[in-house]
Structure formats: structure tokens, C-alpha cells
Amino acid sequence: MDYKAAGLYTLDEALETVGFGKFQGFVLGYAGLGWFAEAMEIMILSFIGQAVKSEWQLSSGQESLLSTIVFAGMLLGANTWGLLSDNYGRRHIVMPRLNWRWVLAFSAVPSFALLILYGVAPESPRYLCMKGNTSDALRILEKIASVNQTKLPPGVLVSGRSNDKDEESAPSENTAPLLPSLSKSTTQSKSGFSSFFMLFSSKLIRTTLLLWVLFFGDSFSYYGIILLTSKLSSGQSTCFPSLQSNINPQDDGLYLNAFITSMAELPGLLLSAILVDRVGRKQSMAIMFGLAFIFLTPLLIQQPAVLTTCLLFGARMNAMGTFTVASIYSPELYPTSVRTTGAGVASAIGRIGGMVCPLVAVGLVNECHQTAAVALFLVAIVVSIVCIQLFPYDTKGRELSDTS
């Protein structure tokens, strides 16, 4: 059907016409506040355990449990908000000498900012079109065009592009589909947990299980690297007294090491941005996982403090890069009707990896089993690399509408 001749246009055509401008900048900033809040909490985890353990006289097991509880909350949130987003919409959904309680309070500031700005956050036009609410989608598109000082295409917005059956069953040899679109009967509005069970349909189950393994391995290694920062930099280990750095939880050295390794996330984000659209999602993750493996390997044995910090910096940089690309890749693999559910559940499975890693990073290292702890992180990285190669398609250069 010739949409242009019929005076119609699709959502993708509208988004392409309004372009990238101030409106998208606001949305990026709003979404970035969420990541900013989580990043602050994760950075705090790398040293707060030592401070709390010292003040409350906790055992190593209790210290591990503190971090595990944090990831349990992340698991619940990732799974719950993914389901709610697919059913009710996307929108509805410091200085080292500061006392650790003040640090925790300060980390909540970005979350309060998110609540304040919630009233002006827009709903997803693609989600609205998928639900058949084209009038609401048009209203948001008109707002985007107004803020960006552009105009929508002439004509009437339609919710999607219908293809002939022959076109659906005979894709081009050079453009294999990401995943076959779900049938019309399964893409209708769903409620409750039906979108979750759709992840296990014959067309989606392979992708779902592979994403679960990927996120588990990625989270296990990424958060493990973060927690290793405090355990290998604290200078309290009695396993290698000759290499102790005489740092205690209240001194600046531990906080400085945590700050330095946290800064690794900036080049990690930059590296992922450079690679993701040049070599594709799959190869980007494989390359950065490989680099993380290389940086972690020397830590199988105790290293001097400065070298340890440098190696953790490199490992965290690449682990962050893989985490970023995985977060881009996962929603691109699912149809709109289950997109945030699929990505949210995969993220929740990743949090299970985060719950387990404190028992490894804290427990094993405290028991003088650093080699075993690092070896487990290396195994998780290898499993993740194998998993990446099993994904059927790369989503580089493809439109989200290809899976809607």
C-alpha cells in the first residue's frame, strides 16, 4: 500500500521527520538521572561495606548479606517495572570524610529529581501506537516537533505498516529479520503476567534464555569487579601482609581507589559508543568482554596496590561497556508488546548475579581465596562470550519497527 499517496504516514516516518533535537535531549537527561542514581549506589557499595562493618562490628558473612540485599531490591524492581511498563506505559513507571549515612542520603538526590520531573516526562509514542492510541501518540509527536522546531509529515498518523503475507514469509536474503513479529492475536493489549509468559513462546524462548545467561554473567562479573575494589584495596587482608597498604575504611586511600575505578565507567561508555554502531552489538560485547578477561587475569595472584587499581580500572571500564551494549541490545530483540518486560526480566536475572557475587568477592577474598574468586569471574566472562555468539542476529542498523 502506498501510504504517501493515501495521505498517511507511520510512526517511524514521523520520528525521522521531527529529527533529533532539544526534546530528545530532555528525554536523555531524564533517563540519565535514573542511571546516575544507580551509579551512585553502586559506587557506594564499593566502600560502604567496610565502613558499616567496622562501625557495627559485623562479620564477613553479614557484610556480604548487606550487598546481597541491595541487589535483591534491584531484582524486584527490574522485574516489576518491566511488567508494569508493558501493561501501563513507559512513563508510569562525595567527600570521603563525610559520614557514610550522609553519603547514602546524598545518593538519593537524583531519585527525588526524577520524581519532581515525572509530571513532564512523555509517554512512548511507539507504545501508544502499539496500544492503538494514535491520538495520544500524535499529541506527543506534535509536542516533539514543536520543541525541535520542525513539522510532522502531511497526512494522518497510522499505528503501523501492514505487510502482505508474501512479504512477511519471504524476507530479503541480505536483510534477515531480527525476530519474527508475533501474530496479531498475541500482540493485542495484554494485562497481568501474560506478557511475561509470551517471552517463552516458540519464537522468543531462545532469545529470552540467552539474554538471561548474558545478563547473569555480565552482572556477576561487573558487580564483582566493583566489590573487589574495596576488598583488594582495603589493606586489611592478613593473607599477604607484605603487600598491605595500611589503608583502613576511614582513610582516604580506600575512597580514592573507589573513585579512580569508578571513573573507569566514563571511558567504558565512550568505548561502547564507538564500537556499538561500527562493529555491531554482538562483536562489541565480545571485544570488551575479552579485554575485561585480560585485565582480570593478573589478579589471579596478589599484585601491588597500584597495579591492582590499574587492572581493576581496565576491567571495570570494559565490564561497564558490555553492560551498556547489553542494555541496548536486549530491548531491540523483542516486539514492542513485550519489549520492556523482556528487557526488565533479563535485567532482573542479572541482579541475581549481583546477589551472588558478594558471597564470592567478599567471602572468598576474606578467606584468602582470591584466586578462586577471580577465576569464577573469568569463567562468567567466558560463558558470556559463548552466549553472545549464539544469538541469531545482530540488531546493528535495524529499526525497532522491524520487531514491533
Side-chain angles (χ1 to χ4, degrees):
M1 176 180 178
D2 190 342
Y3 276 70
K4 188 174 182 180
L8 306 173
Y9 62 89
T10 64
L11 175 65
D12 287 324
E13 290 169 338
L15 292 174
E16 183 177 351
T17 301
V18 297
F20 186 94
K22 294 179 180 179
F23 188 91
Q24 286 82 358
F26 164 76
V27 174
L28 282 175
Y30 183 77
L33 277 175
W35 285 105
F36 185 74
E38 180 173 350
M40 289 185 68
E41 294 169 359
I42 296 305
M43 181 179 177
I44 288 173
L45 278 180
S46 63
F47 59 80
I48 199 74
Q50 292 285 335
V52 174
K53 179 184 179 182
S54 176
E55 183 170 334
W56 290 356
Q57 299 296 307
L58 301 179
S59 66
S60 296
Q62 290 171 323
E63 180 189 358
S64 300
L65 186 60
L66 281 176
S67 298
T68 297
I69 290 174
V70 172
F71 291 109
M74 291 181 175
L75 182 154
L76 180 63
N79 191 42
T80 302
W81 290 112
L83 287 169
L84 291 176
S85 293
D86 275 332
N87 287 284
Y88 301 105
R90 277 50 166 165
R91 175 175 178 269
H92 289 290
I93 306 299
V94 86
M95 292 304 292
R97 291 184 177 83
L98 286 177
N99 182 281
W100 60 268
R101 292 180 176 84
W102 283 104
V103 176
L104 285 176
F106 183 69
S107 70
V109 172
S111 297
F112 282 111
L114 285 171
L115 288 175
I116 293 172
L117 295 174
Y118 169 79
V120 295
E123 181 56 272
S124 164
R126 190 176 301 279
Y127 170 83
L128 293 172
C129 283
M130 185 271 294
K131 291 293 186 180
N133 298 331
T134 53
S135 58
D136 291 337
L138 178 61
R139 178 176 52 82
I140 294 175
L141 289 171
E142 289 173 342
K143 184 176 181 180
I144 297 174
S146 175
V147 173
N148 290 354
Q149 296 182 344
T150 57
K151 294 183 178 180
L152 291 172
V156 179
L157 174 68
V158 292
S159 59
R161 186 183 295 276
S162 59
N163 298 318
D164 295 335
K165 292 184 178 180
D166 292 340
E167 291 176 343
E168 292 179 351
S169 59
S172 169
E173 294 180 359
N174 297 324
T175 57
L178 297 174
L179 283 173
S181 297
L182 298 180
S183 64
K184 182 177 180 180
S185 61
T186 60
T187 55
Q188 293 175 346
S189 177
K190 300 288 182 178
S191 61
F193 288 92
S194 57
S195 57
F196 173 79
F197 293 112
M198 288 169 63
L199 302 179
F200 301 96
S201 66
S202 59
K203 296 177 180 180
L204 298 177
I205 186 169
R206 177 183 177 184
T207 296
T208 296
L209 295 179
L210 286 173
L211 280 175
W212 287 10
V213 175
L214 173 62
F215 270 83
F216 183 93
D218 202 352
S219 297
F220 183 80
S221 55
Y222 171 69
Y223 293 119
I225 291 169
I226 292 175
L227 294 175
L228 278 178
T229 301
S230 61
K231 302 315 297 179
L232 299 184
S233 302
S234 64
Q236 296 185 358
S237 174
T238 59
C239 305
F240 304 93
S242 62
L243 293 176
Q244 287 188 28
S245 56
N246 298 320
I247 299 173
N248 66 66
Q250 304 302 324
D251 287 338
D252 293 356
L254 175 58
Y255 295 94
L256 179 61
N257 288 335
F259 175 76
I260 292 174
T261 54
S262 295
M263 291 299 293
E265 302 209 355
L266 294 178
L269 291 169
L270 179 61
L271 179 61
S272 63
I274 293 173
L275 292 177
V276 68
D277 284 326
R278 287 174 171 79
V279 301
R281 278 59 164 158
K282 293 174 59 176
Q283 294 310 310
S284 294
M285 290 187 288
I287 290 171
M288 289 184 287
F289 266 129
L291 291 173
F293 184 96
I294 293 172
F295 279 107
L296 273 181
T297 300
L299 293 176
L300 287 168
I301 59 176
Q302 187 78 6
Q303 302 292 344
V306 174
L307 180 58
T308 295
T309 300
C310 293
L311 291 172
L312 289 172
F313 183 97
R316 184 166 177 177
M317 177 184 74
N318 289 283
M320 179 60 189
T322 60
F323 210 100
T324 301
V325 177
S327 298
I328 295 172
Y329 187 48
S330 58
E332 291 177 340
L333 289 171
Y334 286 112
T336 302
S337 58
V338 295
R339 181 162 291 144
T340 53
T341 297
V345 173
S347 179
I349 296 298
R351 305 308 182 183
I352 296 177
M355 293 170 63
V356 174
C357 76
L359 304 176
V360 176
V362 177
L364 288 178
V365 175
N366 281 345
E367 297 298 325
C368 300
H369 298 306
Q370 176 180 327
T371 298
V374 176
L376 283 176
F377 296 136
L378 294 176
V379 170
I381 289 174
V382 172
V383 171
S384 298
I385 293 175
V386 173
C387 179
I388 290 168
Q389 304 309 318
L390 295 177
F391 280 102
Y393 306 109
D394 197 309
T395 56
K396 174 187 174 184
R398 300 183 186 277
E399 300 289 340
L400 283 177
S401 57
D402 293 338
T403 55
S404 297

